[in-house]
C-alpha cells in the first residue's frame, strides 16, 4: 500500500490496481465543518485533474478533483449519512471513492507524504 498526495489536497491510497481517494487532513481543516458531500456515480470514468466530487462546509463549497484517471468502483455511502466523517477521519474512514486505476503512470506526478508536508508548510 502506497499513499500519494496532490497539490489540490487529495490523497490516493493504492492497493493493487485499486485507488482509494479522499481529501487530506490539511484540506478538511481549511474547510471547517463539512455539512454535505456529493459523490460520483459508480462506473463513472474520471479524468485526472477534472471534477470528481463536491464537498460543502460551513465556509464554502469545493470541488474534489480526480488525482488520477480511472473508473469509479465504489463510493463511501457513510459520507452521505454523516459528512462530518471527513472532519473526524479525513485520511481513513472519510474516504470519498475508489477507482480502478486507468493509468498508473499518472501516480508519478503526485507527492509522497514528506513532499506533501513540505508543500503544506509553504502555504
Amino acid at each position: 500500500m502506497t499513499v500519494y498526495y496532490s497539490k489540490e489536497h487529495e490523497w490516493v491510497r493504492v492497493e493493487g490496481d485499486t485507488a482509494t481517494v479522499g481529501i487530506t487532513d490539511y484540506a478538511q481543516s481549511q474547510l471547517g465543518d463539512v455539512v454535505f458531500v456529493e459523490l460520483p456515480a459508480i462506473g463513472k470514468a474520471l479524468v485526472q485533474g477534472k471534477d470528481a466530487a463536491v464537498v460543502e462546509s460551513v465556509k464554502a463549497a469545493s470541488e474534489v478533483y480526480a488525482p488520477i484517471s480511472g473508473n469509479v468502483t465504489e463510493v463511501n455511502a457513510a459520507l452521505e449519512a454523516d459528512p462530518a466523517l471527513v472532519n473526524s477521519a479525513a485520511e481513513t474512514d472519510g474516504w470519498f471513492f475508489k477507482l480502478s486505476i486507468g493509468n498508473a503512470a499518472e501516480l508519478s506526478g503526485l507527492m509522497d507524504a514528506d513532499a506533501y508536508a513540505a508543500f503544506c508548510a509553504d502555504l
Side-chain angles (χ1 to χ4, degrees), residues 16-116:
D17 61 355
T18 299
T20 304
V21 177
I23 66 169
T24 65
D25 192 56
Y26 176 87
Q28 72 79 22
S29 71
Q30 296 298 304
L31 285 168
D33 293 337
V34 173
V35 295
F36 178 77
V37 174
E38 182 180 318
L39 301 171
I42 293 174
K44 183 175 182 178
L46 300 179
V47 177
Q48 184 182 39
K50 302 295 183 185
D51 299 350
V54 175
V55 60
E56 292 183 20
S57 72
V58 293
K59 292 182 180 177
S62 298
E63 300 294 331
V64 176
Y65 302 103
I68 59 172
S69 301
N71 290 317
V72 177
T73 59
E74 186 177 345
V75 296
N76 188 355
L79 287 185
E80 293 172 329
D82 184 12
L85 264 177
V86 176
N87 295 115
S88 62
E91 298 190 25
T92 54
D93 293 339
W95 59 275
F96 279 58
F97 54 87
K98 294 185 179 188
L99 294 172
S100 60
I101 298 173
N103 181 358
E106 292 173 344
L107 294 167
S108 66
L110 302 174
M111 296 176 272
D112 64 16
D114 290 341
Y116 181 69

